[in-house]
Each structure stands twice: as structure tokens, then as C-alpha cells.
Amino acid sequence: MPHDPDLHATIERLIQPQQVHRDVYTSPEIYRLEMKHLFRNAWVYIGHESQVAKPGDYITAQIGDQPLLMVRHSDNQIKVLYNRCPHKGTKIVIDRAGNTGKFFRCPYHAWSFKTDGCLLAIPLKKGYEGTGLDQTEAARGLAPVGDWHNYRGFVFARLAPEGIGFDDFFGDSLSSFDNMVDRSPTGKLRVAGAPLRYMHKCNWKMLVENQTDTCHPMVAHESSAGTAVKIWESMDHPEGAPKPPAMEIIAPFMSPYEFFEGMGIRTWPNGHGHTGVHHSIHSDYSAIPGYWEAMVAAHGEDRARAILGENRHNTVYFPNIMIKGPIQQLRNFIPLGPDRTLVESWIFALDGAPSELTARTAMYNRMINAPTSMVGHDDLEMYERAQEGLMADGLEWVNIQRLYEDAEDFSAEAVLNGTTERQMRNQFDAWKRFMLWGAA
């Protein structure tokens, strides 16, 4: 990529150590640059291997504004390809998931391709004899992404053919994925059903930032979680009676500031980080009968205690996913425009573990993240108010200054007060670098 002084000047103008310009949330031009640079240079989540369990199974996905498909080839290997016919540009598949058999067939002119993307057949191929078709990119079939990687079942891709490697991009942040997978006695997860999908009229970065914003739960969720807690506390309960699962899920949202301060936030390089270093809203869930015993049998008592004692809250993986290891959830924040974001909330089942764990995860997802949820609408209201408010001309900057320290270094891991906005600053440090990656 050639040096682009205008791009450098634009990005430098938008990001300051303690604040970011509103244009990063509102400008169609900045959004276009994100699609062109940021999402091309970063490693972005595609899907889980359990979604393509058999040869011919595929899912559709996207990185930024680029349509992709992930498919299981006949040799049982996973391929990540652009979902675009090399003939006229038609999308090869439009279903979210399916099984294509042994080949893909374009619905427009019936060009067909093996499930590794190679061109298989063209109707009336003699019409191309002597035309030099075999020397064109069309003859190579469906284009693969620049690079892709399967980490313990979770598939990521980088569009750019050259760039930062997978391990260098994620580093020690992969420990959150490790903990989520290790919670299975067999070390395997599988996607449990379709995701909950929920459209938000706001910029995608607002949702990502909110995952480590610990100063809003007791405020924004007072009308939902707060009301539920008041109703529960007003009822008569037998002494020592346990809270029902729904209350165990929703009540911690009303924890005081001190709880979240003590929770801690860890940041890693390249924009990754998590809340819940020392404890989290998931720490005090009731034990599921039989689960501890299954974990001890699989891992031994010390290892089982270490795995289950790690209750990280939200782990953000830059640029646009979050996972919750203790309840096996992944949320994907898919940008559709400068003020449109589609959120997919996926849950996973632990192989070899009691089904009650999956049921609790599904309950959490419905209560917190569904279009019909109790808590999610509070956040949605705040995002949309912010998107509208940022259009006001009186102020141009968004403040991310809480617990700011001079000359912050994001190149190393740090553990800090759980209400710091360092992780937001960490994300924008990564945003700036990957917007400019390879441009110098």
C-alpha cells in the first residue's frame, strides 16, 4: 500500500490520548476507511468449526463489508473464501448456513467450484477456447482470504495477504478462549443453536467499548435489574433459600461501584482486554450437580479448581467480538454502516458437561441479549441516544479519560482498577495502528 499522507493526517487528527473525535462514530468517510484498512489488516472472527461439521457444510460471514463463506472441504479441512463468483460477481450462496455437497454452483451462469474454491466447470466452455481465460484471475476460482487460523475450534481470518501473524495479534489474550474451552471435560465446545440477532442504530465501536464499561450497570440498568431486585427483596423467602437462576443472573448488574472497582481490568496489546480479573458478576452462580465431578475426573482436582476459579466477565477481542468464558457465550458486533450494527449473540455447549449448564447460558442470553430481553434494551437506548447526541455541534470530542495516566504504554499487559477506561484507550490505540498498518 503506498504512503497516504492524507490518511495519516486524518487519523492523527481524530485520536488523542484522553479523547476521540466524534467523527470516528458518525462520519461515513471514516466508516469507509475502517472497511478499507482496519478490517483488512486485523484478525476477525469468522465462526466455529462445529458449524461446518461435515464436508460440504458452509456458513456465510463477513469481515467489514466483505462477504465471505467458511466451508468444510472434502479432505475435511476448513476453507475461508470470498463469497463472490469470479465471473460476474454474484454471491455464490446467500443462506446463513447449509450443505453444498461436493461443489458450489453459481446461481447466475452455473459456473461451479470445488469446495476449496478451485474452478470445476463452466457451461459451454468451448466458448472460452483461445481467449486466454486460463491466464485470468477468474480461472483460479473463488478467492481465498489472505490468511486464516483455527484456534481451538474458533476460526479467524485476515483479509490482507501480508500482515501481523495470528499469534502476534492475540498473544496472551487467548487465555480467555483457553479457559472457555477448558471448561469442557473433553476440551470441546459446539455451537448450541442459532444466535440471537439484534439490530442497533449506532456505531459498532459503541458496543465494543460498552463491554468493559463498568460505570454504567448500576445506572443504566436500574429500571430493569434494579426493579427485579426490589421485587425479589420485597417477597417472603424461606431462610437460606437459594436465589432462582434468573435472579442469580440479573441481580449482580446492580452491584455497587466498589464491586466493579475491585473486579479489575486487564489489558493486552492490540486492543484486547477483559473485566473480571479477581471476581465478576458470574462468580457466585450455584453449582450444577455432577459438573464438578466430571471436571475432576477429566482434569484432576487442582486443575479443575484453577479452571473454574477463573470467572472473567467480558473479554473483548479487537476489533469486534466479546466472549464470556464462564457461561460460554460469544457476541459478534457486525458493522453495517456508520450508524448500524448487527449484534449476534452465540452460545456454546460444553461437551461432556451437564445440559443444565447450557440451559443457564441460554437463559442468560434471553434475559440479557435478546431483542426481547430485560437488560439489553437499556444499553440499546443509551447507544442510540449517544449516536443522536454526537450530532450536536456544541462539543466535538468524546472523553475516555477516567484513571488516565501520562504516557500510557499499551505494548504490555496491565491490570488496573476495574472502572478505568484504559481498555477503551487501548482499543483506540489499536484502531489507530491498524487503520495505518502498512500505509507507511
Side-chain angles (χ1 to χ4, degrees), residues 95-157:
D95 297 331
R96 294 187 185 273
N99 186 287
T100 192
K102 295 183 178 180
F103 61 90
F104 289 107
R105 180 178 181 271
C106 179
Y108 196 3
H109 296 95
W111 284 34
S112 58
F113 310 88
K114 297 178 183 179
T115 49
D116 63 356
C118 291
L119 181 62
L120 179 63
I122 300 175
L124 297 174
K125 191 174 182 179
K126 62 184 179 182
Y128 291 97
E129 293 177 359
T131 67
L133 174 68
D134 58 341
Q135 303 301 313
T136 69
E137 65 176 11
R140 295 195 290 271
L142 304 180
V145 295
D147 200 0
W148 70 275
H149 189 88
N150 183 343
Y151 187 79
R152 304 196 69 176
F154 294 87
V155 178
F156 291 81

Side-chain angles (χ1 to χ4, degrees), residues 48-50 152-154 177-178 180-191 295 299 328 348-353:
H48 191 264
E49 65 180 10
S50 64
R152 304 196 69 176
F154 294 87
F177 272 112
D178 290 335
M180 185 159 76
V181 178
D182 289 345
R183 286 171 176 267
S184 162
T186 68
K188 295 180 181 178
L189 302 182
R190 67 181 185 278
V191 167
M295 288 291 286
H299 301 291
Q328 299 82 58
F348 298 83
L350 298 172
D351 186 61

